[in-house]
Amino acid sequence: MYNAKAYSAASATSPLASTPIPRRDPGDNDVQIEILFCGICHSDLHQVRNEWSEAMPTVYPCVPGHEIVGRVTSVGSAVTAFKAGDLAAVGCMVDSDRTCPECQAGQEQFCPNFTLTYNFPDSHGTAPVTYGGYSDGIVVDEKFVLRVPPNLDLAGVAPLLCAGITTFSPMRHWNVSKGKKVGVVGLGGLGHMGVKFAHALGAHVVVFTTSPNKKEDALRLGADEVVISKNADEMKKHAGSFNFILDAVSADHDINAYLGLLARDGNLTLVGAPEKPLAISAFNLIMGRRSLSGSPIGGIAETQEMLDFCGEHNITADVEVIPIQKVNEAYERLLKSDVKYRFSIDMASLKA
Ligand SMILES: [Zn+2]
Ligand SMILES: [Zn+2]
């Protein structure tokens, strides 16, 4: 074991602060990565503040971060896919059992025995729980390390590892492609990636937003049309016309208004998670044989496919780069949606 530099929270109410953390020495199958950038995901904030205490109580100290990109510093003797000096990325998972039907199908995100990148029991026993990417380095089994296309801006690559795959995966599953009409509800960290992917996949993209001042940005990101969702007349014009709608809103909202916009066999997928149960009108689903589903991240192979797609289409997240010393401030701004569209921590600041 060795010590790495990190930012951690000591309790649900303490700010993140600089602390050393233990990392394991790379084993035969491990890749050791110097972290260059780590994105800030809203789940980081929930986890740090123990807001998911029922499902995933936070173990302190907590080192969040699952949007990791960096450079390989060393590899174990059995590693074949990476060598020192390569770019590398790590997302929300660092391991799984690899034997269950989900793992066999390449759907590790549904493995009942996966290991999440932080706040998850550490099977290596390096610490009580796994520690995430708000750190200068991490050691991960090569099966869970992704390759990064060399042409992309690394600060903007980091958020692809959660916000990117979370929006890309359902679009692939529901066959978003040329000739399809696709809606994206909510233009935040997730939504702005949804717009970029839907556009690059060739769909006709309509962004729904409550704020008229987001219109220009939506068009810049790749939207063909922008609908102000509070305007009932504007909404009505699109009734029954969408093949797929990605709903990236985590605040309470009227989902029936969107279900009614789906065409026959259209699907609405939730990637945002409102706190309260949603009220669904059954007729909205029955008429038109519409479906409603949800989707988490993607498997490792699909995450690699997403990164390669981003390399081909020159897609990264729109980020505001911050030094790690500003992370607590960034959390407060995140609560006000005051970021376009994701914070990316420049880990060089951790050396300061
Ligand atoms: Zn995330
Ligand atoms: Zn499994």
Side-chain angles (χ1 to χ4, degrees):
M1 279 198 306
Y2 67 99
N3 275 338
K5 286 185 177 178
Y7 255 54
S8 72
S11 79
T13 52
S14 28
L16 290 151
S18 179
T19 35
I21 52 160
R23 294 287 192 197
R24 67 176 186 268
D25 293 314
D28 290 349
N29 299 298
D30 284 335
V31 176
Q32 184 182 40
I33 299 165
E34 178 196 7
I35 300 174
L36 299 176
F37 292 94
C38 184
I40 298 181
C41 175
H42 214 119
S43 351
D44 299 350
L45 192 153
H46 287 302
Q47 201 75 72
V48 159
R49 299 186 176 176
N50 202 15
E51 289 167 356
W52 290 338
S53 56
E54 275 172 39
M56 281 190 261
T58 305
V59 176
Y60 295 96
C62 173
V63 180
H66 58 204
E67 296 183 335
I68 299 166
V69 63
R71 203 171 279 284
V72 175
T73 47
S74 76
V75 298
S77 56
V79 171
T80 54
F82 294 91
K83 59 180 191 314
D86 287 351
L87 292 173
V90 177
C92 301
M93 303 178 285
V94 289
D95 211 346
S96 70
D97 62 23
R98 307 174 198 204
T99 53
C100 77
E102 302 295 358
C103 287
Q104 295 293 314
Q107 306 278 339
E108 298 88 355
Q109 74 275 31
F110 302 119
C111 175
N113 300 305
F114 62 22
T115 303
L116 296 181
T117 302
Y118 64 84
N119 197 52
F120 226 74
D122 180 0
S123 58
H124 294 269
T126 317
V129 290
T130 50
Y131 293 142
Y134 295 11
S135 170
D136 61 356
I138 192 165
V139 177
V140 178
D141 188 289
E142 76 165 323
K143 291 268 180 308
F144 286 79
V145 180
L146 289 310
R147 294 182 306 280
V148 178
N151 58 314
L152 299 176
D153 169 59
L154 294 183
V157 165
L160 299 177
L161 279 302
C162 178
I165 186 61
T166 298
T167 50
F168 183 80
S169 180
M171 289 201 184
R172 296 294 279 168
H173 181 76
W174 293 99
N175 193 25
V176 168
S177 51
K178 203 169 162 55
K180 299 286 174 74
K181 186 172 172 186
V182 169
V184 175
V185 187
L187 199 61
L190 290 169
H192 97 289
M193 286 311 308
V195 174
K196 290 187 185 206
F197 285 135
H199 175 74
L201 288 163
H204 180 86
V205 186
V206 181
V207 166
F208 296 93
T209 177
T210 51
S211 0
N213 59 11
K214 284 195 176 172
K215 188 166 185 169
E216 237 170 81
D217 234 22
L219 296 171
R220 176 184 64 81
L221 293 165
D224 297 288
E225 295 178 63
V226 181
V227 171
I228 306 306
S229 54
K230 287 179 285 196
N231 185 327
D233 288 339
E234 265 190 70
M235 291 287 277
K236 212 185 278 173
K237 275 189 229 156
H238 293 272
S241 68
F242 283 88
N243 303 106
F244 177 76
I245 296 177
L246 184 83
D247 187 335
V249 176
S250 46
D252 278 335
H253 61 292
D254 178 17
I255 193 172
N256 293 299
Y258 296 103
L259 290 174
L261 302 187
L262 291 173
R264 169 172 57 77
D265 292 322
N267 170 270
L268 185 149
T269 291
L270 301 170
V271 290
E275 223 172 295
K276 290 186 202 139
L278 298 163
I280 309 293
S281 150
F283 275 113
N284 262 336
L285 294 176
I286 292 167
M287 304 311 287
R289 198 165 54 195
R290 296 154 172 157
S291 65
L292 168 65
S293 48
S295 185
I297 51 170
I300 292 299
E302 192 174 51
T303 306
Q304 187 62 62
E305 184 196 325
M306 179 271 307
L307 286 169
D308 294 344
F309 182 86
C310 287
E312 278 161 40
H313 295 266
N314 214 10
I315 293 174
T316 52
D318 284 24
V319 293
E320 177 177 335
V321 177
I322 59 160
I324 195 148
Q325 290 78 8
K326 291 215 164 156
V327 70
N328 295 301
E329 196 182 301
Y331 276 20
E332 293 312 311
R333 288 181 52 199
L334 198 58
L335 287 171
K336 292 180 270 183
S337 302
D338 175 23
V339 57
K340 281 186 175 168
Y341 280 91
R342 204 78 158 171
F343 288 110
S344 186
I345 305 168
D346 182 352
M347 225 42 86
S349 59
L350 195 51
K351 296 194 176 88

